[in-house]
Amino acid sequence: MSRLPQWVGGLGAGLTRLSQRLEEQRRRAEAAAAAADDPDELRRAEHADASAAESSAVDGPAGDGPAGDRSAGGRSVGTLTVPRTQLPTAVDGVPGPGSEQEPEPEPAAGGPPESVPAPPSYAPAVAARPDPVDAVPWGVRVAAEAGWRLLVLAATLWVLARVITTIELVVLAFIAATLITALLQPTVGWLRARGLPRGPATALTFISGFVIMGLVGWFVVWQVQDNIDSVSSRIQEGITELKGWLLKSPFHVTESQINHIAKNLQDAVGANTEAITSAGLEGVTVILEVFTGILLAMFTTLFLLYDGRRIWNWLLKLVPSAAREGVAGAGPRAWRTLTAYVRGTVVVALIDAIFIGIGLYFLNVPLAVPLAVFIFLFAFIPLVGAVVSGALACVIALVANGVFTALMVLAVVLAVQQIEGHVLQPFILGRAVRVHPLAVILSVAAGGLIAGIGGAVVAVPLVAVTNTVVGYLRSYSREQALRMSVAPRGATALGVAPTPPPAPRPSGEPRE
């Protein structure tokens, strides 16, 4: 009971301070409302608030004693100093004046809050959410960056493949003209070096080149037509011998089974007569497309031989100026690679055709000359062409002359191809067009699937040219980076100097 007056006095002092704060907030709200109409009134209100703050800082809050009357362990109430431990803390959940948390005054209606209250001490700590970019692992981010770029590249290649498929005849004719130009361009250069003007040199090279190719084609057709009767009779004899061998073989094949197989073949041919006829009509369309492609390739070759440099300079103008210097350096190197590939392949194919043709002629294999020409043409398809042409020669030798002759032809083909792969190609082609065998196989397979025989022929030179261009552009970008970097100075420059620093002079040697 003796502490009740003290508690009542402290409560009264707290209520007094609370009323003063509410009055100050009311005055501020009225001044803010009047400031919209009279700016001078706002300045006077701010001056009055500043004066009141200074007086409260000097005299202390209203209702309290002087600042020296407040002690660390008690609270001033009138003239009495009540220890903090004697004040009641809380009664039925209502905090008293002795509690640690004093009641915060609520802001006046319509006025801005003075500060955001801190969370209570018993609130659980909530960790800040990380940045979504930082939450993704680095490996996943790199894979995503590379993935969408690969998707864009794949879409670009798919669109390019669709365009090429649509104009396949034009693309193949242009590529064939480029290969023929790479073969004939050195002849034009040689004639111009001998004093012949560009027009006559181009015309002479163009006419002679296509006349030689036409004579080779006519010779192949003539040889096939001249020997087709004898080959047919030998094939019939070979089939008869094969039938007799099967009857006497340990496989226990009967003549009725062989006749049944022959009858099934005849029935299949009779049932598909309509399909064969439609295929023949499609063959006429193919022949027309072939002649169109040949004419297009001839005209393209003529203009490439005559105006190739001017066409290249015009194409360079389409390249952005930042990359024009690198492309201008890569173009001549790519052309030298293509020229070396075509000339080397022609020489190697000619040697293969001559030596295998001589072997077929001495082994008395029919169609030796046409087979030699086929070997020459199929040599332009690396690895795969040699296998196909060699297998064709072995089959004809087996059907026409028997197993021994076929084995001898196989030996000749393998010997010539081994010499070609280990001696002729490294010596003639050199390092300029060296491509890994795996890249050759994959490129030939991809070219054959995309564009048939024509795609298989142009796949390897395309890979060789691409390899040359990429290698040059990589070295060019490296040189450009070194050229644009700041040159080191002082002692650091000695480590990267193009020539070693001079050796120190002995102390006794006189200076020059």
Side-chain angles (χ1 to χ4, degrees), residues 174 178 304 307-321 323-324 327-328 331:
F174 178 77
T178 306
L304 289 178
D307 255 352
R309 185 174 298 276
R310 188 179 302 176
I311 294 173
W312 170 246
N313 292 332
W314 179 81
L315 290 175
L316 282 179
K317 295 179 182 179
L318 302 179
V319 180
S321 58
R324 189 172 300 164
V327 175

Side-chain angles (χ1 to χ4, degrees), residues 3 25 27 41 43 53-54 62 75 78 159 182 226 229 257 269 314 336 361 363 393 441 457 466 480 482:
R3 298 180 179 178
Q25 292 180 0
R27 285 201 308 271
E41 182 68 19
R43 286 194 294 271
E54 290 177 358
R75 178 176 299 171
V159 172
D226 189 49
D229 295 333
Q257 292 177 343
V269 172
W314 179 81
R336 285 197 294 268
Y361 177 78
L363 290 173
I441 290 294
V457 170
T466 304
Q480 287 294 107
L482 292 176

Side-chain angles (χ1 to χ4, degrees), residues 21 29 37 125 163 197 209 215 227 230 247 257 277 284 291 306 330 343 374 384 387 404 412 416 440 505:
R21 293 179 182 176
D37 300 328
V163 172
L215 289 176
N227 294 281
S230 60
L247 292 174
Q257 292 177 343
T277 304
V284 174
F291 276 109
Y306 184 77
R343 295 175 64 184
F374 278 115
V384 179
V387 173
F404 178 76
V412 170
V416 173
V440 172
R505 188 184 303 275

Side-chain angles (χ1 to χ4, degrees), residues 126-144:
V126 179
R129 293 183 178 181
D131 190 1
V133 177
D134 296 334
V136 179
W138 176 254
V140 177
R141 292 170 61 184
V142 172

Side-chain angles (χ1 to χ4, degrees), residues 242-244 246-247 253-263:
L242 179 62
K243 180 179 177 181
L246 288 175
L247 292 174
V253 179
T254 61
E255 187 173 0
S256 60
Q257 292 177 343
I258 296 175
N259 294 332
H260 181 69
I261 294 173
K263 185 177 181 302

Side-chain angles (χ1 to χ4, degrees), residues 51 55 69 87 99 124 133 136 163 171 176 221-222 263 266 283 320 344 357 377 381 383 395 409 424 431 487 495:
S51 301
S55 63
D69 294 342
L87 297 178
S99 61
V133 177
V136 179
V163 172
V171 173
V221 174
W222 173 59
K263 185 177 181 302
Q266 292 177 357
L377 296 177
I381 306 176
L383 299 180
V395 169
V409 170
L424 296 178
R431 292 183 176 271

Side-chain angles (χ1 to χ4, degrees), residues 439-453:
V440 172
I441 290 294
L442 295 179
S443 60
V444 170
L449 290 175
I450 294 174
I453 297 178

